[in-house]
Amino acid sequence: MTQEPGTIPHASSKNAEPTHGEHEEEDAQAVRRDADVPESVRANRGWWDRNADEYQHDHGDFLGDHRFVWCPEGLDEAEARLLGPAGSLAGRHVLEIGAGAAQCSRWLARQGAHPVALDLSERQLRHAQRLAPTGTTGAVPLVQADAGALPFADGSFDLACSAYGAVPFVADPPLVMREVHRVLRPRGRWVFSVTHPVRWAFPDEPGPEGLTVCDSYFDRTPYVEQDQRGEAVYVETHRTLGDRVRDLVGAGFRLLDLVEPEWPEHHTQEWGGWSPLRGRLIPGTAIFVCVRD
């Protein structure tokens, strides 16, 4: 998962922290304003390059070195099987978008799949190299690229996935959905997790103050952290649930399931604005399970 200032663990990086506005850059100002594709790409690449070390230090134990965690609620693909039944991953070619340190891809490799880990941030991919096994078994190809311009031929993959990766950070979500559709083979599955859209109406706080609506759920104006010159250093884009569904259907996907993980009773760890208090009252994560027709 890779979403951070105000987001989770997100194609900037798959292991981000969730929620808008949590770890602001020093002297950065949080605003709501438009941000186009080049500005968003530039800002989020820089943000993750600067913050990858801290992110992996703070969340590495939770994410593991080769574990597939979908969200701060701790939903694990080993149990959830959103990508397919047990044993069905062997031999499948899988693209992980916003892979961060590629923890999910390494889990996929252990299931016999052939994953490729893609991320916008060079520093996040350096952590993927650091965590890679010393031998050849389980090694995962790493690609630095933008989710809106995937550097692969049509029909290259059987599956695509993103755990809080690029999707929340891109300025043109429909473009990303079309790109994923392009690189998938017919009947290929696309599964991604994002901050639950309803969370955008609430402050990104883990305590009681995070339970009072303060913004309009329907305000799609991007969340931007900008420096003193007004240049964006972090951008996150809000889409309603309806927007996400329309983006998927418009790109040629069929929605199979929308998973809203509940907060487990045994889970006491906070992650930015994710907490046991909020998690037991309002959804924190939305996971879209789709198939390419």
Side-chain angles (χ1 to χ4, degrees):
M1 295 167 327
T2 315
Q3 215 170 318
E4 181 97 352
T7 332
I8 167 188
H10 33 117
S12 169
S13 61
K14 155 217 152 331
N15 295 306
E17 291 210 68
T19 91
H20 49 285
E22 181 188 325
H23 296 296
E24 298 177 358
E25 295 286 300
E26 185 177 359
D27 298 327
Q29 177 189 17
V31 298
R32 299 292 291 273
R33 67 168 175 81
D34 291 334
D36 62 15
V37 171
E39 184 178 31
S40 295
V41 169
R42 181 173 60 252
N44 288 324
R45 179 190 290 118
W47 195 94
W48 281 106
D49 282 346
R50 293 189 299 274
N51 291 277
D53 293 358
E54 180 181 359
Y55 177 83
Q56 295 299 333
H57 177 270
D58 291 346
H59 303 296
D61 289 343
F62 181 83
L63 297 172
D65 290 352
H66 41 74
R67 183 184 172 206
F68 198 132
V69 184
W70 281 109
C71 51
E73 290 85 353
L75 184 66
D76 198 309
E77 175 61 14
E79 286 77 45
R81 295 295 178 183
L82 302 182
L83 293 174
S88 66
L89 296 176
R92 309 297 293 278
H93 292 268
V94 187
L95 174 62
E96 184 187 5
I97 299 174
Q103 290 95 334
C104 297
S105 285
R106 284 191 294 280
W107 181 87
L108 288 164
R110 288 181 171 222
Q111 313 311 306
H114 305 294
V116 173
L118 178 144
D119 200 279
L120 184 65
S121 165
E122 178 184 1
R123 190 61 185 169
Q124 283 281 52
L125 294 176
R126 292 291 183 188
H127 283 283
Q129 290 179 321
R130 173 179 62 83
L131 295 173
T134 53
T136 57
T137 302
V140 174
L142 305 177
V143 177
Q144 184 182 6
D146 174 18
L150 298 175
F152 306 106
D154 297 358
S156 295
F157 298 96
D158 302 301
L159 300 166
C161 59
S162 182
Y164 273 97
V167 177
F169 306 101
V170 297
D172 190 348
L175 172 62
V176 172
M177 299 304 156
R178 293 194 299 271
E179 275 292 275
V180 176
H181 185 276
R182 180 183 63 78
V183 302
L184 279 176
R185 294 165 185 151
R187 294 177 297 284
R189 186 168 286 207
W190 164 224
V191 185
F192 64 94
S193 61
V194 295
T195 302
H196 198 290
V198 76
R199 283 289 184 99
W200 278 75
F202 296 84
D204 188 31
E205 298 291 344
E209 62 274 28
L211 294 173
T212 302
V213 171
C214 65
D215 291 306
S216 170
Y217 167 77
F218 301 102
D219 183 2
R220 278 85 160 179
T221 308
Y223 169 86
V224 178
E225 293 174 10
Q226 61 186 21
D227 60 22
Q228 294 179 341
R229 297 171 296 178
E231 295 182 1
V233 295
Y234 175 88
V235 179
E236 194 171 342
T237 301
H238 171 49
R239 305 290 281 170
T240 67
L241 279 174
D243 293 337
R244 292 285 186 209
V245 172
R246 283 184 288 275
D247 292 347
L248 287 164
V249 173
F253 286 103
R254 178 162 46 91
L255 183 64
L256 301 177
D257 198 2
L258 172 58
V259 180
E260 299 167 295
E262 297 185 36
W263 194 273
E265 288 295 329
H266 66 273
H267 187 13
T268 61
Q269 182 176 339
E270 293 184 359
W271 183 323
W274 281 249
S275 68
L277 172 66
R278 298 182 82 202
R280 289 167 187 156
L281 296 173
I282 56 175
T285 295
I287 307 175
F288 295 81
V289 183
C290 322
V291 65
R292 181 195 190 280
D293 287 331

